[in-house]
Amino acid sequence: MLASRTPVSLHHRIVAGGQRRRCIGGSERKPQGRHFTQALESLWRHSPRILPRPAAAAATGGDAKSSWQTPVVLENAAFEEYYKVQQIVHKEEWDAFMSVLRKPLPATFRINACCQFYKDICSKLENDFRRYLESEVYGEDAIRPLPWYPGNLAWHLNFSRKELRKNQALESFHEFLKHESEVGNITRQEAVSMVPPLFLNVQPDHHILDMCASPGSKTFQLLEMIHQSKEPGLLPGALVMANDLYVQRCDLLIHNTKRMCTANLIVTNHEAQNFPDCSLAKDYSEAYKDTCKPQGLEFDRILCDVPCSGDGTIRKGHEMWRKWNSGMGNQLHLLQVNIAMRGIALLKVGGRMVYSTCSMNPVENEAVVAELLRRSGNSVELLDVSSELPELVRRPGLSTWKVQDRGCWFQTHDDVPHDKKNVVLPSMFTSSNGTEGSHTVRGDVEVNIDDRSSLRNCNIEETSKNNHDMDGLPINTNKKFDCTSNILNSKFPLHRCMRIVPHDQNSGAFFIAVLHKLSPLNGCQIQGTKIQHPLAKGITAQPQKEPESETRLYKTSLTRQQNIVSKVVDSAEVLGRQQNLSMDNQTSNDNSTEVEMVFNGVESSRAESGDSMRLQKQSRWKGVDPVLFFKDEVVIKSIISFFGIKESFPLRGHLVTRSTDNARRIYYVSKSVKNILELNTEVGEQLKIVSLGIKMFESHRSKDCSSCAYRLSYEGLSLLLPYISKRILYASPLDFHRLLQYRSINFAYFVDARFGEEAASLMPGCCVVVLLEGHKHVDSICKDPSTVAIVCWRGKGTMNVMVSPPDRKDLLERMAYRFGLEACTEGD
């Protein structure tokens, strides 16, 4: 009998969604009532509703479905007016520019050259899919490598993501892309989004900061770079620190970078403009002078891909056509400046920072770069990188632009009315001097930023009289404003910035500027990274002794900007940068898929108030368990003895956990990450670390293996395999394939009887099964990076595979490709 399961399934879906959100940042949180409420609201909001039929259709009885589904209009008069005035392309190119913007964006992806099966993927792509697509589907250039990306690792498809999903002829290729992306062998990423990391010129020993990292495609790209540069069999000396403001976006960042299986990544959760430098106190600094340990956070390379209006991604989402307005860029300008200035402060002398946006707006691009150069003085230079990536078609940055606010155009800050000068900032303008056309232009099209902005437009005169704006914030009407801080931008070589426009190479739009730090910032410049522009006439840039009234005016503007940022991000960044999240290879979802993080399922510390030792192990960050070095010598010795781990592998001092009691999972970190952790401990955990390291060992509860309480994790096997001398079995391709296919096999049922006997003679517990290919010698096979191996459990009478379903499917695909064996798994 079939019972109605709708109420039950809805209940389970809501409760499960709440439970999944409990595990945030590598820690279990107490369930909160708002999660349940939000889930219900989301359910009601997205539930299908039966709409009343139109009167005409009801009267005739006809089908009115077609009348409801009005096509999306790819037009926005304000958008066209704005960018025509800014002259981002020549007049004769305008029609071609707009025509390309209205076409779907071609799909692109990048192959991970560090993955174990890189050669197999390239071969399958070239010999199978490329030939099929060119001969059967789209003809020549259906799929081709991007000429400017090194090593032919990035590929351009002559069809969009929607076509890829809907076209039956592309189904097998689509499944290939989804599967390879899931296991980390490829990354599906917009072509122009791959450009900024390439200009960082990453080296093997660099410490790299990605300031606004989520969803993680660029972070993954940086990890590929540092692992490509390493010596075989060794961990890279480099480090990538990926940061994001929002916890939910950190979850997605962790999920995406987890595919890399790296010990050289730290994920943090901070405001980028206030990212901590973890500087040691002077007495500690003196003690550290003669050591190689860091005395504070400094980075060789910084990727500053800031939140932006996202109109460069307009080809990916139709909503941007409807919602775009010029105010989106204006409201983010100050935040972008402050984030980038913080990046410069954290950059080492001689280091390189890339500032980038997926916006075409000069207020978010050249204006920000000019302000960075002004604030930094001679400490920073804008690099000419025209000789790098010569096959990439790019255009020089703009040298002049105008600022629009609520339908009004301004050439200089002098043209801005007094009641708007704490919103329209001097740093947004091209220069302070009056130039040709230096007058206010009243636009025919009024662009409303939001409902609140519309109210301001209607009441500007009234609010000016009351000396308060519509937010209740005071307007300083007694002070005069000028652009003393806005040096002529002609002094800055803004032509060295790079603009990528869509119709040059059938892509999205992007802006990139490469900055080089020549000398340390002085005290005023460093403090200035956390304060706003001095706005009043006669105020010198001395942040330590700023007049109280001007400080209050600064804070008023900053508060207004920060209050608006979240709304702008919702309406712009979500439409822009976060559209990468909608790619169909992304299987994570807040309400339907549990995001498995690198530090997932971490036990709560459950410290009791009376236990001082427990309190010392508490993290200073609410909801995030502390990162603890694993120092249980008895356990470490049992692991080393059981698996025969060689002394040449640096195990001690590199193991961490987040559990204060019995650790369920033990993670491994590289030397560079270890040094940062030690520094963070010395400075009182200034860094809010939500994830780091690679899972190396997991506890088990089997009574059959009492000599070692931990088993190996498949994620860390490739790193540890060359150093294991015990618990290794070598299987023929046929037996290896059977293990993957059936997951559990009785010793007597192996094709190779000798392998079955060796498995039966092994002591119960965790072991490693290595694929024995060709004529490889057993003594050297484990040292070969291309060696295929899996983690298994030797039970009482069976050998059991301990590999996740996606990884098992991936290995079966490789077996099928190399040996012609069946690729399907049991239950497929």
Side-chain angles (χ1 to χ4, degrees):
M1 180 181 69
L2 291 176
S4 175
R5 65 175 185 176
T6 302
V8 176
S9 62
L10 289 178
H11 169 76
H12 282 297
R13 208 177 336 171
I14 294 169
V15 173
Q19 288 174 342
R20 278 191 285 271
R21 281 190 291 270
R22 287 170 60 190
C23 184
I24 294 177
S27 305
E28 292 184 1
R29 291 182 171 179
K30 295 181 179 180
Q32 298 181 19
R34 71 171 183 274
H35 289 156
F36 186 81
T37 304
Q38 289 170 354
L40 282 175
E41 290 174 350
S42 177
L43 176 65
W44 295 331
R45 188 182 302 116
H46 299 292
S47 295
R49 297 178 181 177
I50 301 175
L51 300 177
R53 300 174 67 190
T60 61
D63 183 10
K65 182 179 179 181
S66 58
S67 66
W68 299 352
Q69 296 177 348
T70 56
V72 178
V73 179
L74 305 182
E75 300 284 346
N76 187 314
F79 176 90
E80 294 196 42
E81 180 208 16
Y82 186 82
Y83 283 117
K84 277 184 178 178
V85 171
Q86 303 294 12
Q87 298 181 9
I88 61 171
V89 297
H90 298 299
K91 291 182 179 179
E92 57 271 17
E93 298 178 81
W94 183 258
D95 290 339
F97 169 70
M98 292 300 299
S99 175
V100 171
L101 286 185
R102 295 187 178 101
K103 294 178 181 178
L105 183 69
T108 50
F109 65 91
R110 186 184 68 257
I111 303 173
N112 179 5
C114 304
C115 74
Q116 192 174 23
F117 306 111
Y118 160 69
K119 292 182 180 179
D120 288 354
I121 294 169
C122 290
S123 176
K124 190 170 185 178
L125 193 61
E126 284 278 3
N127 300 328
D128 296 346
F129 289 114
R130 189 174 189 179
R131 290 179 183 177
Y132 167 73
L133 293 173
E134 290 181 349
S135 61
E136 303 292 335
V137 186
Y138 284 93
E140 290 187 15
D141 291 333
I143 176 172
R144 57 179 174 81
L146 290 169
W148 46 265
Y149 201 96
N152 286 344
L153 294 176
W155 289 73
H156 172 101
L157 308 177
N158 207 18
F159 38 85
S160 67
R161 292 177 299 166
K162 185 176 180 180
E163 267 187 287
L164 190 59
R165 291 193 302 268
K166 302 295 184 182
N167 194 330
Q168 290 295 322
L170 299 173
E171 184 177 2
S172 61
F173 183 57
H174 184 217
E175 290 299 319
F176 165 79
L177 292 178
K178 285 199 300 182
H179 169 68
E180 298 299 344
S181 177
E182 185 178 9
V183 295
N185 293 335
I186 70 168
T187 299
R188 301 173 71 183
Q189 181 182 2
E190 189 180 349
V192 289
S193 178
M194 304 179 198
V195 175
L198 296 177
F199 283 106
L200 282 174
N201 190 24
V202 172
Q203 300 299 317
D205 59 341
H206 279 168
H207 284 204
I208 308 160
L209 172 64
D210 190 349
M211 299 189 75
C212 309
S214 187
S217 54
K218 296 183 185 69
T219 305
F220 198 93
Q221 191 176 354
L222 293 169
L223 291 170
E224 290 175 25
M225 292 176 179
I226 66 170
H227 281 274
Q228 276 181 270
S229 61
K230 70 169 185 174
E231 297 181 23
L234 297 176
L235 274 175
L239 159 76
V240 175
M241 190 174 294
N243 176 71
D244 204 89
L245 169 62
Y246 299 105
V247 175
Q248 293 85 353
R249 288 172 62 86
C250 283
D251 289 348
L252 183 61
L253 171 62
I254 293 166
H255 175 76
N256 286 333
T257 53
K258 177 181 177 292
R259 302 173 301 146
M260 190 68 191
C261 295
T262 178
N264 297 68
L265 172 68
I266 299 176
V267 178
T268 60
N269 177 211
H270 290 282
E271 289 183 334
Q273 67 271 29
N274 295 315
F275 196 88
D277 58 10
C278 296
S279 296
L280 287 168
K282 192 172 182 181
D283 51 345
Y284 280 104
S285 182
E286 292 294 330
Y288 271 61
K289 267 187 177 179
D290 298 329
T291 70
C292 298
K293 295 181 179 181
Q295 300 178 39
L297 281 183
E298 281 189 315
F299 297 92
D300 303 280
R301 297 290 185 265
I302 292 179
L303 178 59
C304 188
D305 188 49
V306 296
C308 65
S309 61
D311 57 22
T313 67
I314 200 167
R315 297 180 68 182
K316 291 199 293 185
H318 294 161
E319 284 296 299
M320 182 63 74
W321 286 101
R322 181 174 62 85
K323 294 187 175 181
W324 185 93
N325 63 74
S326 61
M328 294 161 65
N330 293 350
Q331 292 161 353
L332 286 166
H333 169 84
L334 179 63
L335 176 66
Q336 293 162 340
V337 171
N338 287 338
I339 289 175
M341 278 305 299
R342 187 58 185 156
I344 292 173
L346 294 168
L347 189 64
K348 286 182 181 179
V349 173
R352 179 181 285 201
M353 183 179 89
V354 168
Y355 174 85
S356 63
T357 73
C358 53
S359 168
M360 296 180 278
N361 194 339
V363 173
E364 301 178 71
N365 298 331
E366 287 87 353
V368 172
V369 173
E371 178 66 2
L372 298 179
L373 295 173
R374 185 205 66 79
R375 289 193 187 188
S376 303
N378 296 324
S379 296
V380 172
E381 66 172 337
L382 182 60
L383 287 181
D384 179 3
V385 290
S386 57
S387 60
E388 300 179 25
L389 302 182
E391 293 180 291
L392 175 67
V393 181
R394 86 290 297 264
R395 300 189 180 202
L398 302 178
S399 57
T400 59
W401 59 88
K402 297 179 182 179
V403 178
Q404 188 187 53
D405 182 64
R406 303 172 191 172
C408 302
W409 286 99
F410 307 109
Q411 181 77 34
T412 70
H413 194 252
D414 290 334
D415 301 331
V416 181
H418 290 290
D419 60 341
K420 292 186 178 182
K421 286 195 174 184
N422 60 345
V423 176
V424 182
L425 305 178
S427 57
M428 295 178 181
F429 290 86
T430 180
S431 68
S432 60
N433 293 350
T435 56
E436 183 179 350
S438 177
H439 60 278
T440 303
V441 180
R442 298 291 173 182
D444 295 329
V445 181
E446 181 168 318
V447 184
N448 291 330
I449 298 172
D450 50 42
D451 293 338
R452 180 174 54 187
S453 301
S454 301
L455 290 172
R456 286 178 183 160
N457 272 342
C458 299
N459 296 280
I460 288 176
E461 184 177 353
E462 181 181 348
T463 55
S464 298
K465 291 178 181 178
N466 295 331
N467 294 334
H468 288 80
D469 69 2
M470 293 301 297
D471 285 336
L473 298 174
I475 297 174
N476 192 333
T477 56
N478 298 322
K479 296 287 182 180
K480 294 183 179 180
F481 298 83
D482 74 350
C483 304
T484 54
S485 60
N486 201 40
I487 300 172
L488 270 171
N489 288 336
S490 59
K491 294 183 178 180
F492 302 134
L494 296 180
H495 64 279
R496 294 180 179 177
C497 300
M498 293 170 282
R499 282 181 164 266
I500 299 176
V501 294
H503 63 292
D504 279 344
Q505 47 204 343
N506 195 14
S507 66
F510 228 80
F511 174 86
I512 302 130
V514 184
L515 300 163
H516 177 232
K517 190 168 182 179
L518 300 172
S519 61
L521 299 178
N522 59 43
C524 293
Q525 291 169 329
I526 292 174
Q527 190 165 350
T529 63
K530 296 186 179 181
I531 68 167
Q532 201 186 39
H533 225 290
L535 296 177
K537 179 172 272 187
I539 298 296
T540 57
Q542 295 179 353
Q544 294 95 334
K545 298 181 180 181
E546 211 170 10
E548 183 179 350
S549 60
E550 298 310 317
T551 304
R552 185 168 58 252
L553 180 60
Y554 158 72
K555 290 180 179 178
T556 294
S557 179
L558 180 59
T559 302
R560 186 201 308 269
Q561 296 280 349
Q562 290 174 337
N563 289 338
I564 291 173
V565 161
S566 59
K567 180 176 286 189
V568 178
V569 170
D570 287 341
S571 63
E573 187 187 3
V574 170
L575 294 172
R577 288 178 55 190
Q578 284 192 348
Q579 285 168 352
N580 290 324
L581 313 187
S582 65
M583 300 183 73
D584 44 359
N585 67 301
Q586 298 289 355
T587 58
S588 61
N589 186 287
D590 282 346
N591 295 325
S592 62
T593 304
E594 181 171 3
V595 177
E596 182 185 0
M597 297 177 290
V598 178
F599 268 106
N600 59 351
V602 179
E603 298 84 4
S604 174
S605 59
R606 293 189 289 271
E608 296 182 5
S609 58
D611 192 340
S612 60
M613 293 300 294
R614 295 284 185 86
L615 288 174
Q616 289 175 4
K617 295 178 181 178
Q618 290 283 333
S619 171
R620 63 167 287 192
W621 301 101
K622 184 179 179 180
V624 178
D625 288 334
V627 179
L628 307 171
F629 282 100
F630 188 81
K631 299 179 179 179
D632 191 328
E633 195 62 28
V634 174
V635 173
I636 294 174
K637 284 182 178 179
S638 69
I639 291 174
I640 293 174
S641 174
F642 189 74
F643 294 104
I645 300 174
K646 300 174 183 176
E647 288 295 327
S648 56
F649 184 76
L651 198 63
R652 290 179 174 85
H654 291 260
L655 299 178
V656 297
T657 183
R658 297 193 101 150
S659 173
T660 55
D661 294 321
N662 296 325
R664 288 177 54 194
R665 298 172 182 87
I666 301 175
Y667 297 82
Y668 187 85
V669 297
S670 66
K671 183 179 179 181
S672 53
V673 172
K674 174 192 171 186
N675 290 340
I676 296 298
L677 287 179
E678 291 173 343
L679 173 65
N680 194 40
T681 301
E682 293 289 345
V683 297
E685 292 187 49
Q686 291 182 22
L687 280 177
K688 183 181 179 182
I689 298 174
V690 295
S691 173
L692 79 168
I694 183 172
K695 186 165 60 178
M696 188 73 78
F697 305 107
E698 292 187 82
S699 64
H700 66 82
R701 298 179 181 178
S702 174
K703 297 179 181 179
D704 296 330
C705 181
S706 58
S707 57
C708 182
Y710 287 83
R711 66 174 179 84
L712 295 170
S713 169
Y714 180 69
E715 293 176 22
L717 180 60
S718 60
L719 179 62
L720 193 57
L721 183 61
Y723 303 93
I724 296 176
S725 60
K726 297 180 182 178
R727 312 287 301 175
I728 299 179
L729 298 173
Y730 299 90
S732 66
L734 191 55
D735 280 331
F736 196 87
H737 178 268
R738 283 168 61 82
L739 264 174
L740 291 170
Q741 189 171 21
Y742 298 108
R743 292 177 290 182
S744 180
I745 299 181
N746 191 288
F747 302 142
Y749 293 160
F750 285 108
V751 176
D752 185 353
R754 183 177 58 82
F755 177 77
E757 292 171 1
E758 290 178 355
S761 64
L762 198 66
M763 183 191 306
C766 183
C767 63
V768 178
V769 176
V770 176
L771 172 63
L772 197 57
E773 293 185 76
H775 302 287
K776 290 184 178 179
H777 196 273
V778 171
D779 294 336
S780 61
I781 190 170
C782 290
K783 298 178 182 179
D784 188 348
S786 65
T787 296
V788 180
I790 56 175
V791 176
C792 293
W793 184 269
R794 193 278 194 197
K796 291 182 178 179
T798 57
M799 185 66 71
N800 308 287
V801 175
M802 308 192 77
V803 178
S804 68
D807 287 320
R808 195 162 55 87
K809 182 181 177 182
D810 184 47
L811 290 169
L812 282 168
E813 291 281 351
R814 305 307 156 211
M815 299 290 291
Y817 189 79
R818 291 187 184 184
F819 305 106
L821 300 171
E822 188 180 2
C824 67
T825 60
E826 188 184 57
D828 287 350

